[in-house]
Amino acid sequence: MSKLIYMDNAATTFVDKRVFDAMTPYLTDRCFNPSSIYDGAQDVHADLDNARDTIAKTIGATSKEIFFTSCGTESDNWAIKGIAHANAEKGKHLITSKIEHHAVLHSMDALKKEGYDITFLDVDENGLVDIKKLEEAIRPDTILVSIMFANNEIGTIEPIKEIGEICHKHNVYFHVDAVQAYAHIPINVKDLNIDLLSVSGHKFNAMKGTGFLYIKKGTKIINYMDGGAQEFKKRAGTENVAGIIGMAKATEIAHNEMNKRIEEETKIRDYIIDRILKEIPYSKLNGDRVKRLPNNINIGFEFVEGESLLLSLNDIGVCASSGSACTSGSLDPSHVLLAIGLPHEKAHGSLRLTISHETSMDDAKYVCDNLPPIVERLRSMSPLYEDFIKNKK
Ligand SMILES: *Cc1c(COP(=O)(O)O)cnc(C)c1O
């Protein structure tokens, strides 16, 4: 296959060449342990401090509030279980939404087994959390609210500022899974009243196995790993130096180019959405049209199976994702699409395209030109569609 169009950037991104170049010295000539005493190691230690500082500034935090982790999943686990275990005396009630990433949902499930009480909030048909219902759910024994910044499947951006204000007012910790939003749209933890923020490097052109958790100064939380003195004694383990240096470089690039990227991606996103909705009948946008990540397109096609659609797109060199987890060996439709009210069969017929700053208008045109005949061919093989058309006449 000569042509390859990558539209699965919510799953992972390519490491930027500039990031790769920034990392390589730390895997070769400068491969010292930053905890060692000699000059070379102390230089690496200083570079690590600078990386922490660079990252802290992007969210309006101080460098002592940035804790490097191995991924977004770890950051979510630490934030949720760490707060729960450190604050059990105050209460054992936590609030989250039904459309969180599994790293959050399954952490909550684990706490439930330990005797914690979890409220899973409904969302509306666009995936938005109702802030009134959220406030009503807060009780005297509530210790944490965990709501994602933006959803990884449908791209909906949650009312984080309003939720932060409510949490602040009720003296409840506020954790935000910002894995899809960070380095893509502006985030300031002070303005937004965020106490904990989860980030993953491989969602913004750094390497896999990198991430961080912002923990506001004074937050009561359990250590994630016991051992050496790394990460201010809260998350022991020799640092992934090259990965962290790369993540700092990636965030620097992303923030320098952010405005331009948002503008260009939004233009391409809207072009794709408009063309698909116009040219393919019985298609519908999933997620909020306006409160939406600049890189997310998620469209449901009636009478089409997501997996067949993905395989057909694969045949023409397009990497995309669907609204069900069938391809990963499970038959369950996406919990996010079910939560926004789609019935099972519609949740199965959804397509997620997540573009990047590297996506060109030509790529967008290629996908939009090729998609209608693919959908038509798949529908022509569907007995349900045949019946539907017959009954319409
Ligand atoms: C990808 C993702 C995660 C998990 O991050 P990893 O670094 O892959 O563990 C968590 N939350 C959201 C919203 C994500 O998109």
Side-chain angles (χ1 to χ4, degrees), residues 57-132:
K57 285 200 178 93
T58 61
I59 54 169
T62 63
S63 54
K64 286 203 167 120
E65 296 172 311
I66 303 298
F67 298 81
F68 294 123
T69 64
S70 71
C71 59
T73 299
E74 182 186 323
S75 300
D76 284 341
N77 270 263
W78 184 8
I80 293 163
K81 294 173 186 170
I83 290 290
H85 292 151
N87 296 276
E89 262 175 42
K90 186 194 167 201
K92 292 185 133 190
H93 179 234
L94 295 85
I95 299 172
T96 189
S97 84
K98 287 187 178 164
I99 63 164
E100 300 297 312
H101 190 273
H102 281 139
V104 168
L105 291 177
H106 292 168
S107 293
M108 294 289 182
D109 289 342
L111 287 175
K112 212 166 152 181
K113 288 203 185 102
E114 293 176 28
Y116 286 80
D117 190 13
I118 318 290
T119 298
F120 295 93
L121 292 171
D122 286 321
V123 293
D124 72 6
E125 72 277 10
N126 289 332
L128 286 162
V129 168
D130 183 333
I131 53 172
K132 242 196 354 257

Side-chain angles (χ1 to χ4, degrees), residues 9-12 69-76 99-104 148-153 177-181 198-203 207-211 352:
N9 285 280
T12 196
T69 64
S70 71
C71 59
T73 299
E74 182 186 323
S75 300
D76 284 341
I99 63 164
E100 300 297 312
H101 190 273
H102 281 139
V104 168
M148 68 202 320
F149 208 107
N151 185 267
N152 47 303
E153 291 188 37
D177 175 341
V179 173
Q180 288 295 332
S198 296
V199 169
S200 170
H202 77 99
K203 303 288 175 78
M207 68 175 271
K208 292 166 191 64
T210 62
R352 180 186 74 180

Side-chain angles (χ1 to χ4, degrees), residues 3 20 25 56 74 88 143 149 153 158 192 210 244 247 258 264 295 360 372 391:
K3 201 169 180 76
F20 182 77
E74 182 186 323
I143 49 173
F149 208 107
E153 291 188 37
E158 299 296 339
L192 299 170
T210 62
I244 292 166
M247 182 163 63
M258 187 178 281
E264 288 173 5
N295 76 340
S360 69
N391 290 334

